[in-house]
Amino acid sequence: MMEPTQLSLSGERLLAVYEFAGPVELAESRANALRVEQTIEFPADLVPDDDIQNEIIGRIESLQPVGDELARAEVSYAVETTGSELPQLLNVLMGNSGLLPGIRLIDFTLPASLSERLVGPRFGVAGLRKMFDAPTRPLLSTALKPMGLSAERLAETAFDLAVGGIDMIKDDHSLADQPFARFAERVARCADAVRRANDQTGLNTIYMPSINAPYDLLGQRVHIALEAGVGGLLVLPGITGFDHMRALAADDDVAIPIMGHPAFLGAFSASPTTGIAHRPLYGTLMRLAGADLSIFPNFGGRFSFSPKECRDIAEGLCEPIAGVFAALPAPGGGMTLDRVPEIKDFYGSDVALLVGGDLHRGESLVQSAAAFREAVES
Amino acid sequence: MMEPTQLSLSGERLLAVYEFAGPVELAESRANALRVEQTIEFPADLVPDDDIQNEIIGRIESLQPVGDELARAEVSYAVETTGSELPQLLNVLMGNSGLLPGIRLIDFTLPASLSERLVGPRFGVAGLRKMFDAPTRPLLSTALKPMGLSAERLAETAFDLAVGGIDMIKDDHSLADQPFARFAERVARCADAVRRANDQTGLNTIYMPSINAPYDLLGQRVHIALEAGVGGLLVLPGITGFDHMRALAADDDVAIPIMGHPAFLGAFSASPTTGIAHRPLYGTLMRLAGADLSIFPNFGGRFSFSPKECRDIAEGLCEPIAGVFAALPAPGGGMTLDRVPEIKDFYGSDVALLVGGDLHRGESLVQSAAAFREAVES
């Protein structure tokens, strides 16, 4: 056996907060198992090196019961365990422990050296406000749908919505490269439609196509979108990976706003005792991974997020993080025009309202979109 | 408004089976909401086109109570909704409905046209057996750990394990590009160590480095690994994306076995009433996405999978799927040498036993690895 490794560590640590559902008297042993599982995944008693024992294995900073059947532990990890890379950060936070029952990640904070390296959103709230010449008002967004329409009809829809004054018109997240509306044709037509509308209105509406593509075509789809002159991108990090979104946000050749969509992430938050809570998932992670806007289902729509969970997400998107711009919450999921005042009241002005299908209820899309804008501006 | 779209569809459909936890009298309306949510995500009453109403929105093929508080629905989707791409297939299966409470995907089957296009594992069970000259016996695998060791010491470990006769020596999934053991140095040293061991033993042990890298470095890490002459890859599709793994499996320039690791996927299966069940997740999806071997925590180890859940996974890995080879289950997660006979009894010979830390308990790694091999072969 060689000499024990002498580790030269910065001393900087990230902090993760976990909840353990189940008998609180077991929480300490479960937290001890977790701090090993998330790092060395090896029998702790067999580790020969003091430095690995003391510095690499996670450290329980606090542990306390929250009730009879719930305990909360703060666990810190040496920042070096992440290799300063987002994929391995996800692994340290929740890689294997998600496989254990009754463990939920409810918060995490990074040292400045790591958050600054990840960068986060390129535009953030201030950048988006400048882009849409909207210093104080909430922003407006909607989706092109339904799947099955031709590229031509989707573009016609995009034109009407842009004439009505929506800021951001995204693809429905289910639009990929289906035969009904192939990606390249759809993106070219929709980008062109929004450009024509902007010429008419003088606004700066942007079209954001969905980049949910096979791994080996991701770069090509982004290239096609940029060539078509789109103004932003819709990204599904639950499917293409959080680091795919981060890389897009960090890419100077892309340099347009990114909207993060929660598709395939719901299982993380769906059970209150497993997975990852709303704030760190749809808030902190989305933002660290470069989303200028984070879409999530607002309370009272088709989904089941509570007002508190929505508030938590919005806070995660704007709390101070060193070197990382604040991002905008984009609550959607069955929102209707009549709820605009309530949503504004709840989130304040730092919000991008997302109304989709409801805009199609009126006589004309242009009128519905204009009514949406008026409701937001009033 | 233009003419309604005339869709020209193949008639081929994929079938997904969902469970709805909660009052069975609500199941029908929930299933109706789901079939819309997973496709057009649009008020169904506003869809102008008959073809979209009839062909694009999912179709409930059956719906029945499983108990007072559980119902099961079979929902079929036109294969065209997936665009024949894995990322959009994930979206159709569970994109948004994971955000709804109490919905679990418990099975799915694809039409041959889609499974054949996805390809799946390059080697599969038969290919792995040929590679290791092991026509009937279970295969052996282990992991290099703990994080914190230098590349030199990890390579020394790899050498000993290979001399002892392990077939597949993978990186621990937590090894990325940390300062303790940089990826390039680690991979070069470990690949070399395993080559030297093979020269000594005449075996064909392979080293499988973990490709858990930032999106923009994934290709580079694979290239480094191939240049170093590694014999396989460890991939974490929960982090880098299922389609990243599929693309690696389909890449003729890679053409080495892939082991899929469940990191960051646990939240999908952790709650029995949300997410994705064990069989479709660690079985069918891992396999369709190209894993020759699917790692999961065996029952009775550090984790909580039940014997039935493990059996389900193994079945998902070998049930007939058109154009897709069977993959091997690789149950691990705290397995010990004394459990080898039991694991062989449970899974039969089509299994890759994964024993990690326990091999470090004996006097010598070579002896422990040899004992592991002997236990498997006996």
Side-chain angles (χ1 to χ4, degrees), chain A residues 94-141:
Chain A
M94 206 59 186
N96 263 11
S97 288
L99 295 158
L100 296 164
I103 296 181
R104 186 164 172 93
L105 177 70
I106 62 164
D107 200 7
F108 68 94
T109 51
L110 304 183
S113 62
L114 183 51
S115 61
E116 286 166 357
R117 188 177 166 116
L118 293 178
V119 182
R122 177 177 288 264
F123 296 88
V125 178
L128 291 171
R129 290 203 168 289
K130 194 170 166 191
M131 175 169 284
F132 297 108
D133 190 20
T136 57
R137 68 169 169 86
L139 301 183
L140 296 90
S141 58

Side-chain angles (χ1 to χ4, degrees), chain B residues 296-299 305-314 346-347:
Chain B
F296 58 90
N298 198 26
F299 61 92
F305 286 17
S306 72
K308 178 177 183 314
E309 288 162 349
C310 294
R311 177 84 68 205
D312 286 348
I313 295 168
F346 186 83
Y347 292 96

Side-chain angles (χ1 to χ4, degrees), chain A residues 139-193:
Chain A
L139 301 183
L140 296 90
S141 58
T142 190
L144 297 178
K145 45 173 101 176
M147 189 207 294
L149 291 186
S150 64
E152 202 175 356
R153 284 180 64 192
L154 290 167
E156 185 187 52
T157 304
F159 180 83
D160 289 350
L161 292 163
V163 167
I166 309 285
D167 298 306
M168 291 167 283
I169 301 171
K170 71 172 184 73
D171 276 349
D172 198 22
H173 76 286
S174 64
L175 301 185
D177 187 36
Q178 289 98 341
F180 337 118
R182 290 284 175 202
F183 181 84
E185 185 192 352
R186 179 177 86 241
V187 169
R189 284 186 184 273
C190 290
D192 180 63

Side-chain angles (χ1 to χ4, degrees), chain A residues 5 37 41 49 80-81 85 91 95 145 153 172-173 178 214-216 221 243 246 264 302 361, chain B residues 5 37 41 45 49 80-81 85 91 95 145 153 172-173 178 214-216 221 243 246 264 302:
Chain A
T5 312
E37 193 66 48
E41 203 197 341
D49 306 77
E80 286 84 359
T81 59
E85 295 176 343
N91 222 358
K145 45 173 101 176
R153 284 180 64 192
D172 198 22
H173 76 286
Q178 289 98 341
Y215 172 78
D216 44 337
R221 296 256 171 102
D243 205 76
R246 181 207 57 77
F264 216 64
R302 296 194 305 274
R361 290 214 176 270
Chain B
T5 311
E37 192 65 48
E41 203 196 342
D45 58 303
D49 306 75
E80 286 84 358
T81 60
E85 296 177 343
N91 222 357
K145 46 173 95 174
R153 284 179 65 192
D172 199 22
H173 77 285
Q178 290 98 340
Y215 172 78
D216 43 338
R221 296 258 171 101
D243 205 76
R246 182 207 56 77
F264 216 64
R302 297 193 305 274

